[in-house]
Amino acid sequence: MALHYRKRGKFWHVRGTIRVGRRIFKVQEHSTGCLVKSEAEAVGAGEEGRIRSEALEGATPRTRSVTVGECIAIYRIRPGSLHPFDEALLLELQSVMGSVPLTQVRTAWGAWLRDRGKELAPSTVARWRSTLKAALNYGADEFGTTVPTLRAVQNAETERIAYLTKAQEARLLAAYSPWAAPVMLVLCETGMRTQEALRLDWRCVDWDRNVLLIEHTGRADGARTKTKRSRRIAMRPVVRTSLMTIWKERNRPETGPVFLSRWKRPYSDTRRVGGNPLTSAHRTACRKAGITDFRIHDWRHHGDRTWPVPAPNGRPTVNS
């Protein structure tokens, strides 16, 4: 009976049993957060010592010695699914601060903000923070301890402005995969948010008035806008042509999602499962087009969006 190690991906994992007198403690398989086996064995030895100490001295020392890595490990194997983005995020955090005791997590988080966090947008840092807090809170509850409050992310809602030249715009749009290109064209030409475009329904495409209705239903499983207000967006000719092509190819549906994934399935609500399903396609297209520092959300602020919008009575108004 002993601890066993195996490499899964980049990190070494540990599992096994530890005997203390007549008692046997089972160690569920989890990542040590170490890239080198000798370091993983050192982590395992430390965990074995902690288990022996707790078995002999009681659980009091346990609340003082719980680490960030232990919380992340138990959170990752909890019942339920974990989004791949959050899985990768937690593995990286585990490799950086896995050995840090919970009592020192605020210091470790501050160091992470100064180092890795400075490379990320505030909204992305907020995602890292919320995922880490979920793991720490879950682990703390399991181990019967508490978690210090992590420093909040400033300006998480601040939106930056980024523009492309017309040549760059054309080059990037042409570089997208065929299944992603129609969505990206709509984002570029309308300034819609990604979630609004992915959840767009054919009944919200008004061919007669030449507008797209971005509706807010108020239902948890329905369409929702960030401002909780419905609005109309004019279809420029290039958008109308693109959507008309898709509509005809699908035999002119009256309802149903406008955009489908590369597997011909409706997109999930990213506000619930997390992660933008277009990220990989966008990153690949940017690399092909030679575009740097331009995110999917930057399409929302790109270009001049003051153009005529048909009014209900047929007279044009201005959408600014």
Side-chain angles (χ1 to χ4, degrees), residues 127-162:
R127 171 74 176 271
W128 284 72
R129 179 180 182 272
S130 62
T131 305
L132 176 60
K133 276 189 63 65
L136 296 181
N137 289 338
Y138 183 90
D141 185 61
E142 289 291 310
F143 293 124
T145 186
T146 57
V147 182
T149 302
L150 299 182
R151 195 169 84 191
V153 180
Q154 300 297 322
N155 303 319
E157 296 300 321
T158 299
E159 295 182 309
R160 69 176 194 154
I161 306 298

PDB file of all heavy atoms in Angstrom, residues 127-162:
ATOM      1  N   ARG A 127     -13.009  36.362 -14.754  1.00  0.00           N
ATOM      2  CA  ARG A 127     -13.378  34.954 -14.965  1.00  0.00           C
ATOM      3  C   ARG A 127     -12.430  34.035 -14.195  1.00  0.00           C
ATOM      4  O   ARG A 127     -12.854  33.064 -13.565  1.00  0.00           O
ATOM      5  CB  ARG A 127     -13.342  34.643 -16.467  1.00  0.00           C
ATOM      6  CG  ARG A 127     -13.494  33.162 -16.833  1.00  0.00           C
ATOM      7  CD  ARG A 127     -14.909  32.680 -16.651  1.00  0.00           C
ATOM      8  NE  ARG A 127     -15.035  31.301 -17.087  1.00  0.00           N
ATOM      9  CZ  ARG A 127     -15.322  30.917 -18.332  1.00  0.00           C
ATOM     10  NH1 ARG A 127     -15.517  31.837 -19.273  1.00  0.00           N
ATOM     11  NH2 ARG A 127     -15.437  29.646 -18.634  1.00  0.00           N
ATOM     12  N   TRP A 128     -11.133  34.323 -14.248  1.00  0.00           N
ATOM     13  CA  TRP A 128     -10.157  33.532 -13.483  1.00  0.00           C
ATOM     14  C   TRP A 128     -10.475  33.598 -11.994  1.00  0.00           C
ATOM     15  O   TRP A 128     -10.450  32.584 -11.292  1.00  0.00           O
ATOM     16  CB  TRP A 128      -8.745  34.053 -13.740  1.00  0.00           C
ATOM     17  CG  TRP A 128      -8.154  33.660 -15.059  1.00  0.00           C
ATOM     18  CD1 TRP A 128      -8.501  34.113 -16.284  1.00  0.00           C
ATOM     19  CD2 TRP A 128      -7.088  32.725 -15.272  1.00  0.00           C
ATOM     20  NE1 TRP A 128      -7.729  33.531 -17.257  1.00  0.00           N
ATOM     21  CE2 TRP A 128      -6.849  32.681 -16.668  1.00  0.00           C
ATOM     22  CE3 TRP A 128      -6.304  31.951 -14.425  1.00  0.00           C
ATOM     23  CZ2 TRP A 128      -5.870  31.870 -17.229  1.00  0.00           C
ATOM     24  CZ3 TRP A 128      -5.311  31.151 -14.991  1.00  0.00           C
ATOM     25  CH2 TRP A 128      -5.108  31.111 -16.364  1.00  0.00           C
ATOM     26  N   ARG A 129     -10.769  34.791 -11.514  1.00  0.00           N
ATOM     27  CA  ARG A 129     -11.035  34.975 -10.092  1.00  0.00           C
ATOM     28  C   ARG A 129     -12.277  34.197  -9.655  1.00  0.00           C
ATOM     29  O   ARG A 129     -12.264  33.522  -8.621  1.00  0.00           O
ATOM     30  CB  ARG A 129     -11.215  36.463  -9.769  1.00  0.00           C
ATOM     31  CG  ARG A 129     -11.523  36.765  -8.303  1.00  0.00           C
ATOM     32  CD  ARG A 129     -11.690  38.263  -8.088  1.00  0.00           C
ATOM     33  NE  ARG A 129     -11.938  38.588  -6.696  1.00  0.00           N
ATOM     34  CZ  ARG A 129     -13.149  38.609  -6.146  1.00  0.00           C
ATOM     35  NH1 ARG A 129     -14.222  38.322  -6.887  1.00  0.00           N
ATOM     36  NH2 ARG A 129     -13.302  38.926  -4.867  1.00  0.00           N
ATOM     37  N   SER A 130     -13.345  34.281 -10.439  1.00  0.00           N
ATOM     38  CA  SER A 130     -14.582  33.610 -10.051  1.00  0.00           C
ATOM     39  C   SER A 130     -14.417  32.090 -10.066  1.00  0.00           C
ATOM     40  O   SER A 130     -14.951  31.394  -9.199  1.00  0.00           O
ATOM     41  CB  SER A 130     -15.723  34.023 -10.987  1.00  0.00           C
ATOM     42  OG  SER A 130     -15.457  33.636 -12.327  1.00  0.00           O
ATOM     43  N   THR A 131     -13.643  31.571 -11.029  1.00  0.00           N
ATOM     44  CA  THR A 131     -13.416  30.127 -11.091  1.00  0.00           C
ATOM     45  C   THR A 131     -12.557  29.664  -9.925  1.00  0.00           C
ATOM     46  O   THR A 131     -12.823  28.628  -9.310  1.00  0.00           O
ATOM     47  CB  THR A 131     -12.742  29.750 -12.425  1.00  0.00           C
ATOM     48  OG1 THR A 131     -13.530  30.241 -13.515  1.00  0.00           O
ATOM     49  CG2 THR A 131     -12.603  28.248 -12.556  1.00  0.00           C
ATOM     50  N   LEU A 132     -11.514  30.437  -9.612  1.00  0.00           N
ATOM     51  CA  LEU A 132     -10.665  30.093  -8.475  1.00  0.00           C
ATOM     52  C   LEU A 132     -11.461  30.133  -7.182  1.00  0.00           C
ATOM     53  O   LEU A 132     -11.348  29.237  -6.338  1.00  0.00           O
ATOM     54  CB  LEU A 132      -9.475  31.053  -8.401  1.00  0.00           C
ATOM     55  CG  LEU A 132      -8.548  30.881  -7.189  1.00  0.00           C
ATOM     56  CD1 LEU A 132      -7.941  29.490  -7.158  1.00  0.00           C
ATOM     57  CD2 LEU A 132      -7.448  31.937  -7.207  1.00  0.00           C
ATOM     58  N   LYS A 133     -12.280  31.168  -7.018  1.00  0.00           N
ATOM     59  CA  LYS A 133     -13.082  31.274  -5.791  1.00  0.00           C
ATOM     60  C   LYS A 133     -14.049  30.104  -5.664  1.00  0.00           C
ATOM     61  O   LYS A 133     -14.291  29.603  -4.555  1.00  0.00           O
ATOM     62  CB  LYS A 133     -13.858  32.596  -5.779  1.00  0.00           C
ATOM     63  CG  LYS A 133     -13.060  33.779  -5.258  1.00  0.00           C
ATOM     64  CD  LYS A 133     -13.926  35.009  -5.070  1.00  0.00           C
ATOM     65  CE  LYS A 133     -15.021  34.771  -4.021  1.00  0.00           C
ATOM     66  NZ  LYS A 133     -14.448  34.546  -2.677  1.00  0.00           N
ATOM     67  N   ALA A 134     -14.630  29.663  -6.775  1.00  0.00           N
ATOM     68  CA  ALA A 134     -15.546  28.522  -6.726  1.00  0.00           C
ATOM     69  C   ALA A 134     -14.829  27.279  -6.214  1.00  0.00           C
ATOM     70  O   ALA A 134     -15.356  26.535  -5.375  1.00  0.00           O
ATOM     71  CB  ALA A 134     -16.135  28.270  -8.115  1.00  0.00           C
ATOM     72  N   ALA A 135     -13.585  27.058  -6.718  1.00  0.00           N
ATOM     73  CA  ALA A 135     -12.809  25.903  -6.274  1.00  0.00           C
ATOM     74  C   ALA A 135     -12.407  26.029  -4.804  1.00  0.00           C
ATOM     75  O   ALA A 135     -12.497  25.067  -4.030  1.00  0.00           O
ATOM     76  CB  ALA A 135     -11.567  25.750  -7.148  1.00  0.00           C
ATOM     77  N   LEU A 136     -11.979  27.221  -4.395  1.00  0.00           N
ATOM     78  CA  LEU A 136     -11.558  27.427  -3.005  1.00  0.00           C
ATOM     79  C   LEU A 136     -12.738  27.283  -2.044  1.00  0.00           C
ATOM     80  O   LEU A 136     -12.611  26.664  -0.977  1.00  0.00           O
ATOM     81  CB  LEU A 136     -10.921  28.808  -2.853  1.00  0.00           C
ATOM     82  CG  LEU A 136      -9.628  29.062  -3.640  1.00  0.00           C
ATOM     83  CD1 LEU A 136      -9.110  30.472  -3.363  1.00  0.00           C
ATOM     84  CD2 LEU A 136      -8.570  28.023  -3.306  1.00  0.00           C
ATOM     85  N   ASN A 137     -13.877  27.838  -2.413  1.00  0.00           N
ATOM     86  CA  ASN A 137     -15.049  27.744  -1.543  1.00  0.00           C
ATOM     87  C   ASN A 137     -15.518  26.296  -1.398  1.00  0.00           C
ATOM     88  O   ASN A 137     -15.888  25.855  -0.308  1.00  0.00           O
ATOM     89  CB  ASN A 137     -16.185  28.606  -2.091  1.00  0.00           C
ATOM     90  CG  ASN A 137     -15.915  30.088  -1.942  1.00  0.00           C
ATOM     91  OD1 ASN A 137     -15.125  30.501  -1.103  1.00  0.00           O
ATOM     92  ND2 ASN A 137     -16.547  30.899  -2.771  1.00  0.00           N
ATOM     93  N   TYR A 138     -15.478  25.569  -2.513  1.00  0.00           N
ATOM     94  CA  TYR A 138     -15.887  24.165  -2.469  1.00  0.00           C
ATOM     95  C   TYR A 138     -14.927  23.357  -1.593  1.00  0.00           C
ATOM     96  O   TYR A 138     -15.346  22.584  -0.736  1.00  0.00           O
ATOM     97  CB  TYR A 138     -15.920  23.587  -3.882  1.00  0.00           C
ATOM     98  CG  TYR A 138     -16.413  22.159  -3.946  1.00  0.00           C
ATOM     99  CD1 TYR A 138     -17.765  21.890  -4.102  1.00  0.00           C
ATOM    100  CD2 TYR A 138     -15.522  21.086  -3.861  1.00  0.00           C
ATOM    101  CE1 TYR A 138     -18.227  20.575  -4.162  1.00  0.00           C
ATOM    102  CE2 TYR A 138     -15.966  19.775  -3.920  1.00  0.00           C
ATOM    103  CZ  TYR A 138     -17.317  19.525  -4.074  1.00  0.00           C
ATOM    104  OH  TYR A 138     -17.772  18.227  -4.131  1.00  0.00           O
ATOM    105  N   GLY A 139     -13.624  23.570  -1.819  1.00  0.00           N
ATOM    106  CA  GLY A 139     -12.640  22.843  -1.030  1.00  0.00           C
ATOM    107  C   GLY A 139     -12.691  23.200   0.440  1.00  0.00           C
ATOM    108  O   GLY A 139     -12.598  22.321   1.304  1.00  0.00           O
ATOM    109  N   ALA A 140     -12.856  24.489   0.732  1.00  0.00           N
ATOM    110  CA  ALA A 140     -12.927  24.922   2.125  1.00  0.00           C
ATOM    111  C   ALA A 140     -14.117  24.295   2.836  1.00  0.00           C
ATOM    112  O   ALA A 140     -14.034  23.909   4.013  1.00  0.00           O
ATOM    113  CB  ALA A 140     -13.010  26.441   2.194  1.00  0.00           C
ATOM    114  N   ASP A 141     -15.220  24.180   2.125  1.00  0.00           N
ATOM    115  CA  ASP A 141     -16.407  23.566   2.706  1.00  0.00           C
ATOM    116  C   ASP A 141     -16.169  22.081   2.979  1.00  0.00           C
ATOM    117  O   ASP A 141     -16.596  21.548   4.012  1.00  0.00           O
ATOM    118  CB  ASP A 141     -17.595  23.753   1.753  1.00  0.00           C
ATOM    119  CG  ASP A 141     -18.900  23.253   2.351  1.00  0.00           C
ATOM    120  OD1 ASP A 141     -19.300  23.791   3.400  1.00  0.00           O
ATOM    121  OD2 ASP A 141     -19.512  22.327   1.780  1.00  0.00           O
ATOM    122  N   GLU A 142     -15.466  21.420   2.048  1.00  0.00           N
ATOM    123  CA  GLU A 142     -15.186  19.996   2.226  1.00  0.00           C
ATOM    124  C   GLU A 142     -14.227  19.756   3.396  1.00  0.00           C
ATOM    125  O   GLU A 142     -14.365  18.787   4.130  1.00  0.00           O
ATOM    126  CB  GLU A 142     -14.586  19.429   0.935  1.00  0.00           C
ATOM    127  CG  GLU A 142     -15.567  19.306  -0.217  1.00  0.00           C
ATOM    128  CD  GLU A 142     -16.598  18.218   0.038  1.00  0.00           C
ATOM    129  OE1 GLU A 142     -16.204  17.088   0.385  1.00  0.00           O
ATOM    130  OE2 GLU A 142     -17.799  18.512  -0.111  1.00  0.00           O
ATOM    131  N   PHE A 143     -13.245  20.644   3.541  1.00  0.00           N
ATOM    132  CA  PHE A 143     -12.230  20.459   4.572  1.00  0.00           C
ATOM    133  C   PHE A 143     -12.579  21.157   5.890  1.00  0.00           C
ATOM    134  O   PHE A 143     -11.818  21.100   6.846  1.00  0.00           O
ATOM    135  CB  PHE A 143     -10.878  20.976   4.074  1.00  0.00           C
ATOM    136  CG  PHE A 143     -10.312  20.172   2.937  1.00  0.00           C
ATOM    137  CD1 PHE A 143      -9.967  20.781   1.742  1.00  0.00           C
ATOM    138  CD2 PHE A 143     -10.131  18.808   3.051  1.00  0.00           C
ATOM    139  CE1 PHE A 143      -9.446  20.058   0.684  1.00  0.00           C
ATOM    140  CE2 PHE A 143      -9.603  18.062   2.000  1.00  0.00           C
ATOM    141  CZ  PHE A 143      -9.264  18.689   0.810  1.00  0.00           C
ATOM    142  N   GLY A 144     -13.706  21.847   5.909  1.00  0.00           N
ATOM    143  CA  GLY A 144     -14.150  22.484   7.145  1.00  0.00           C
ATOM    144  C   GLY A 144     -13.334  23.690   7.554  1.00  0.00           C
ATOM    145  O   GLY A 144     -13.019  23.863   8.733  1.00  0.00           O
ATOM    146  N   THR A 145     -12.996  24.529   6.600  1.00  0.00           N
ATOM    147  CA  THR A 145     -12.241  25.735   6.910  1.00  0.00           C
ATOM    148  C   THR A 145     -12.831  26.911   6.135  1.00  0.00           C
ATOM    149  O   THR A 145     -13.909  26.802   5.554  1.00  0.00           O
ATOM    150  CB  THR A 145     -10.748  25.538   6.562  1.00  0.00           C
ATOM    151  OG1 THR A 145     -10.001  26.668   6.999  1.00  0.00           O
ATOM    152  CG2 THR A 145     -10.553  25.328   5.074  1.00  0.00           C
ATOM    153  N   THR A 146     -12.156  28.035   6.153  1.00  0.00           N
ATOM    154  CA  THR A 146     -12.658  29.231   5.472  1.00  0.00           C
ATOM    155  C   THR A 146     -11.617  29.744   4.487  1.00  0.00           C
ATOM    156  O   THR A 146     -10.441  29.394   4.557  1.00  0.00           O
ATOM    157  CB  THR A 146     -12.993  30.339   6.479  1.00  0.00           C
ATOM    158  OG1 THR A 146     -11.819  30.641   7.248  1.00  0.00           O
ATOM    159  CG2 THR A 146     -14.110  29.910   7.413  1.00  0.00           C
ATOM    160  N   VAL A 147     -12.070  30.621   3.586  1.00  0.00           N
ATOM    161  CA  VAL A 147     -11.193  31.184   2.559  1.00  0.00           C
ATOM    162  C   VAL A 147     -11.143  32.695   2.692  1.00  0.00           C
ATOM    163  O   VAL A 147     -12.186  33.348   2.786  1.00  0.00           O
ATOM    164  CB  VAL A 147     -11.705  30.826   1.145  1.00  0.00           C
ATOM    165  CG1 VAL A 147     -10.743  31.369   0.083  1.00  0.00           C
ATOM    166  CG2 VAL A 147     -11.875  29.333   0.992  1.00  0.00           C
ATOM    167  N   PRO A 148      -9.951  33.285   2.727  1.00  0.00           N
ATOM    168  CA  PRO A 148      -9.857  34.751   2.739  1.00  0.00           C
ATOM    169  C   PRO A 148     -10.444  35.336   1.452  1.00  0.00           C
ATOM    170  O   PRO A 148     -10.445  34.694   0.399  1.00  0.00           O
ATOM    171  CB  PRO A 148      -8.341  35.008   2.818  1.00  0.00           C
ATOM    172  CG  PRO A 148      -7.756  33.735   3.332  1.00  0.00           C
ATOM    173  CD  PRO A 148      -8.630  32.648   2.808  1.00  0.00           C
ATOM    174  N   THR A 149     -10.920  36.550   1.514  1.00  0.00           N
ATOM    175  CA  THR A 149     -11.483  37.218   0.344  1.00  0.00           C
ATOM    176  C   THR A 149     -10.373  37.600  -0.625  1.00  0.00           C
ATOM    177  O   THR A 149      -9.353  38.162  -0.240  1.00  0.00           O
ATOM    178  CB  THR A 149     -12.250  38.480   0.755  1.00  0.00           C
ATOM    179  OG1 THR A 149     -13.280  38.108   1.678  1.00  0.00           O
ATOM    180  CG2 THR A 149     -12.886  39.156  -0.455  1.00  0.00           C
ATOM    181  N   LEU A 150     -10.579  37.275  -1.902  1.00  0.00           N
ATOM    182  CA  LEU A 150      -9.605  37.640  -2.922  1.00  0.00           C
ATOM    183  C   LEU A 150      -9.849  39.067  -3.394  1.00  0.00           C
ATOM    184  O   LEU A 150     -10.989  39.517  -3.456  1.00  0.00           O
ATOM    185  CB  LEU A 150      -9.705  36.693  -4.124  1.00  0.00           C
ATOM    186  CG  LEU A 150      -9.440  35.214  -3.857  1.00  0.00           C
ATOM    187  CD1 LEU A 150      -9.528  34.430  -5.158  1.00  0.00           C
ATOM    188  CD2 LEU A 150      -8.079  35.004  -3.208  1.00  0.00           C
ATOM    189  N   ARG A 151      -8.783  39.750  -3.726  1.00  0.00           N
ATOM    190  CA  ARG A 151      -8.901  41.126  -4.193  1.00  0.00           C
ATOM    191  C   ARG A 151      -9.739  41.194  -5.457  1.00  0.00           C
ATOM    192  O   ARG A 151      -9.530  40.426  -6.402  1.00  0.00           O
ATOM    193  CB  ARG A 151      -7.512  41.706  -4.470  1.00  0.00           C
ATOM    194  CG  ARG A 151      -7.500  43.228  -4.599  1.00  0.00           C
ATOM    195  CD  ARG A 151      -6.079  43.740  -4.610  1.00  0.00           C
ATOM    196  NE  ARG A 151      -5.490  43.682  -5.943  1.00  0.00           N
ATOM    197  CZ  ARG A 151      -4.201  43.873  -6.184  1.00  0.00           C
ATOM    198  NH1 ARG A 151      -3.375  44.091  -5.187  1.00  0.00           N
ATOM    199  NH2 ARG A 151      -3.731  43.824  -7.408  1.00  0.00           N
ATOM    200  N   ALA A 152     -10.703  42.091  -5.487  1.00  0.00           N
ATOM    201  CA  ALA A 152     -11.602  42.223  -6.626  1.00  0.00           C
ATOM    202  C   ALA A 152     -10.853  42.755  -7.845  1.00  0.00           C
ATOM    203  O   ALA A 152      -9.796  43.377  -7.722  1.00  0.00           O
ATOM    204  CB  ALA A 152     -12.773  43.138  -6.282  1.00  0.00           C
ATOM    205  N   VAL A 153     -11.430  42.518  -9.015  1.00  0.00           N
ATOM    206  CA  VAL A 153     -10.841  42.986 -10.271  1.00  0.00           C
ATOM    207  C   VAL A 153     -11.415  44.352 -10.606  1.00  0.00           C
ATOM    208  O   VAL A 153     -12.637  44.516 -10.696  1.00  0.00           O
ATOM    209  CB  VAL A 153     -11.139  42.005 -11.417  1.00  0.00           C
ATOM    210  CG1 VAL A 153     -10.519  42.497 -12.723  1.00  0.00           C
ATOM    211  CG2 VAL A 153     -10.623  40.620 -11.060  1.00  0.00           C
ATOM    212  N   GLN A 154     -10.559  45.333 -10.763  1.00  0.00           N
ATOM    213  CA  GLN A 154     -11.006  46.676 -11.073  1.00  0.00           C
ATOM    214  C   GLN A 154     -11.326  46.802 -12.568  1.00  0.00           C
ATOM    215  O   GLN A 154     -10.658  46.217 -13.408  1.00  0.00           O
ATOM    216  CB  GLN A 154      -9.918  47.700 -10.705  1.00  0.00           C
ATOM    217  CG  GLN A 154      -9.556  47.686  -9.222  1.00  0.00           C
ATOM    218  CD  GLN A 154     -10.730  48.077  -8.334  1.00  0.00           C
ATOM    219  OE1 GLN A 154     -11.511  48.960  -8.687  1.00  0.00           O
ATOM    220  NE2 GLN A 154     -10.853  47.413  -7.206  1.00  0.00           N
ATOM    221  N   ASN A 155     -12.373  47.577 -12.865  1.00  0.00           N
ATOM    222  CA  ASN A 155     -12.746  47.884 -14.255  1.00  0.00           C
ATOM    223  C   ASN A 155     -13.025  46.645 -15.076  1.00  0.00           C
ATOM    224  O   ASN A 155     -12.715  46.571 -16.262  1.00  0.00           O
ATOM    225  CB  ASN A 155     -11.647  48.695 -14.950  1.00  0.00           C
ATOM    226  CG  ASN A 155     -11.327  49.986 -14.222  1.00  0.00           C
ATOM    227  OD1 ASN A 155     -12.231  50.673 -13.749  1.00  0.00           O
ATOM    228  ND2 ASN A 155     -10.058  50.312 -14.120  1.00  0.00           N
ATOM    229  N   ALA A 156     -13.649  45.627 -14.450  1.00  0.00           N
ATOM    230  CA  ALA A 156     -13.941  44.389 -15.169  1.00  0.00           C
ATOM    231  C   ALA A 156     -14.900  44.611 -16.320  1.00  0.00           C
ATOM    232  O   ALA A 156     -14.927  43.859 -17.283  1.00  0.00           O
ATOM    233  CB  ALA A 156     -14.515  43.348 -14.208  1.00  0.00           C
ATOM    234  N   GLU A 157     -15.721  45.664 -16.251  1.00  0.00           N
ATOM    235  CA  GLU A 157     -16.689  45.931 -17.305  1.00  0.00           C
ATOM    236  C   GLU A 157     -16.179  46.942 -18.332  1.00  0.00           C
ATOM    237  O   GLU A 157     -16.877  47.290 -19.265  1.00  0.00           O
ATOM    238  CB  GLU A 157     -17.994  46.453 -16.694  1.00  0.00           C
ATOM    239  CG  GLU A 157     -18.700  45.444 -15.803  1.00  0.00           C
ATOM    240  CD  GLU A 157     -19.075  44.176 -16.555  1.00  0.00           C
ATOM    241  OE1 GLU A 157     -19.483  44.299 -17.733  1.00  0.00           O
ATOM    242  OE2 GLU A 157     -18.969  43.092 -15.984  1.00  0.00           O
ATOM    243  N   THR A 158     -14.984  47.449 -18.133  1.00  0.00           N
ATOM    244  CA  THR A 158     -14.454  48.444 -19.053  1.00  0.00           C
ATOM    245  C   THR A 158     -14.210  47.821 -20.428  1.00  0.00           C
ATOM    246  O   THR A 158     -13.595  46.759 -20.542  1.00  0.00           O
ATOM    247  CB  THR A 158     -13.125  49.021 -18.525  1.00  0.00           C
ATOM    248  OG1 THR A 158     -13.381  49.650 -17.281  1.00  0.00           O
ATOM    249  CG2 THR A 158     -12.554  50.037 -19.503  1.00  0.00           C
ATOM    250  N   GLU A 159     -14.717  48.454 -21.470  1.00  0.00           N
ATOM    251  CA  GLU A 159     -14.562  47.946 -22.812  1.00  0.00           C
ATOM    252  C   GLU A 159     -13.541  48.795 -23.563  1.00  0.00           C
ATOM    253  O   GLU A 159     -13.631  50.017 -23.592  1.00  0.00           O
ATOM    254  CB  GLU A 159     -15.898  47.949 -23.550  1.00  0.00           C
ATOM    255  CG  GLU A 159     -16.913  47.001 -22.927  1.00  0.00           C
ATOM    256  CD  GLU A 159     -18.210  46.990 -23.700  1.00  0.00           C
ATOM    257  OE1 GLU A 159     -18.745  48.077 -23.956  1.00  0.00           O
ATOM    258  OE2 GLU A 159     -18.695  45.886 -24.025  1.00  0.00           O
ATOM    259  N   ARG A 160     -12.591  48.144 -24.187  1.00  0.00           N
ATOM    260  CA  ARG A 160     -11.571  48.867 -24.916  1.00  0.00           C
ATOM    261  C   ARG A 160     -12.054  49.116 -26.345  1.00  0.00           C
ATOM    262  O   ARG A 160     -13.007  48.508 -26.816  1.00  0.00           O
ATOM    263  CB  ARG A 160     -10.275  48.071 -24.928  1.00  0.00           C
ATOM    264  CG  ARG A 160     -10.354  46.798 -25.771  1.00  0.00           C
ATOM    265  CD  ARG A 160      -9.032  46.105 -25.834  1.00  0.00           C
ATOM    266  NE  ARG A 160      -9.033  45.104 -26.896  1.00  0.00           N
ATOM    267  CZ  ARG A 160      -7.951  44.688 -27.510  1.00  0.00           C
ATOM    268  NH1 ARG A 160      -6.784  45.176 -27.179  1.00  0.00           N
ATOM    269  NH2 ARG A 160      -8.032  43.782 -28.449  1.00  0.00           N
ATOM    270  N   ILE A 161     -11.364  49.980 -27.035  1.00  0.00           N
ATOM    271  CA  ILE A 161     -11.686  50.295 -28.417  1.00  0.00           C
ATOM    272  C   ILE A 161     -10.542  49.796 -29.293  1.00  0.00           C
ATOM    273  O   ILE A 161      -9.376  50.105 -29.044  1.00  0.00           O
ATOM    274  CB  ILE A 161     -11.881  51.804 -28.623  1.00  0.00           C
ATOM    275  CG1 ILE A 161     -12.933  52.328 -27.628  1.00  0.00           C
ATOM    276  CG2 ILE A 161     -12.289  52.110 -30.048  1.00  0.00           C
ATOM    277  CD1 ILE A 161     -14.294  51.725 -27.800  1.00  0.00           C
ATOM    278  N   ALA A 162     -10.851  49.014 -30.315  1.00  0.00           N
ATOM    279  CA  ALA A 162      -9.837  48.508 -31.238  1.00  0.00           C
ATOM    280  C   ALA A 162     -10.408  48.558 -32.646  1.00  0.00           C
ATOM    281  O   ALA A 162     -11.571  48.230 -32.860  1.00  0.00           O
ATOM    282  CB  ALA A 162      -9.435  47.081 -30.876  1.00  0.00           C
TER     283      ALA A 162
END
